[in-house]
């Protein structure tokens, strides 16, 4: 089953969800701001993410800027996201083997190959 880490206030996240639903896929939608990922889940996600830890962070968010953390340090990224879930990049589609950031939304379709 495909899990979409989703923020309904984000246009890219909404576009990605619509793109997946159009294909009739069985999708588990996890609103990560309401149900944040814990450290273990973030470590596992990062191991499946085809991009590095730097891609997992929304560096333009004020919370990230005030932390002064190194986005290339996976442990610092994990700790920052645990403390501030809003700084996690979105949306992320995860099939349990691979995870893809949906920017642009069409990128997640590579999980369907």
């Amino acid at each position: 089953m495909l899990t979409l880490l989703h923020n309904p206030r984000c246009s890219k996240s909404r576009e990605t969800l619509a793109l997946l639903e159009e294909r009739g896929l069985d999708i588990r939608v996890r609103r990560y701001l309401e149900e944040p990922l814990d450290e273990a889940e973030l470590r596992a996600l990062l191991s499946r993410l085809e991009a590095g830890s730097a891609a997992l962070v929304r560096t333009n968010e004020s919370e990230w800027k005030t932390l002064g953390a190194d986005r290339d340090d996976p442990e610092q990224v994990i700790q920052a996201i645990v403390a501030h879930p809003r700084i996690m990049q979105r949306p992320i589609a995860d099939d349990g083997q691979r995870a893809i950031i949906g920017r642009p939304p069409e990128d997640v379709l590579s999980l369907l190959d």
Side-chain angles (χ1 to χ4, degrees):
M1 174 181 284
L2 192 65
T3 298
L4 183 66
L5 299 173
H6 177 61
N7 179 348
R9 295 186 65 195
C10 171
S11 63
K12 296 295 182 204
S13 196
R14 291 190 308 269
E15 288 173 30
T16 301
L17 179 59
L19 195 63
L20 295 170
E21 287 177 336
E22 286 170 4
R23 283 158 176 75
L25 299 172
D26 189 17
I27 307 165
R28 175 181 176 248
V29 176
R30 180 171 177 179
R31 294 182 177 195
Y32 67 91
L33 293 177
E34 296 170 12
E35 185 186 346
L37 283 74
D38 62 26
E39 287 183 38
E41 290 172 312
L42 283 166
R43 277 190 189 84
L45 175 66
L46 197 51
S47 75
R48 294 187 299 275
L49 193 64
E50 294 187 349
S53 62
L56 195 56
V57 179
R58 297 177 55 81
T59 57
N60 59 338
E61 298 292 345
S62 60
E63 292 95 333
W64 176 257
K65 290 177 182 177
T66 60
L67 288 173
D70 179 0
R71 68 185 194 149
D72 292 316
D73 181 327
E75 200 53 41
Q76 287 185 33
V77 167
I78 288 167
Q79 295 305 318
I81 293 172
V82 166
H84 306 281
R86 193 169 82 96
I87 67 172
M88 188 172 78
Q89 191 57 267
R90 61 189 183 251
I92 300 174
D94 183 355
D95 69 2
Q97 301 296 315
R98 294 185 306 149
I100 305 276
I101 296 171
R103 291 193 171 265
E106 295 79 16
D107 283 359
V108 303
L109 297 178
S110 68
L111 289 175
L112 308 180
D113 297 338

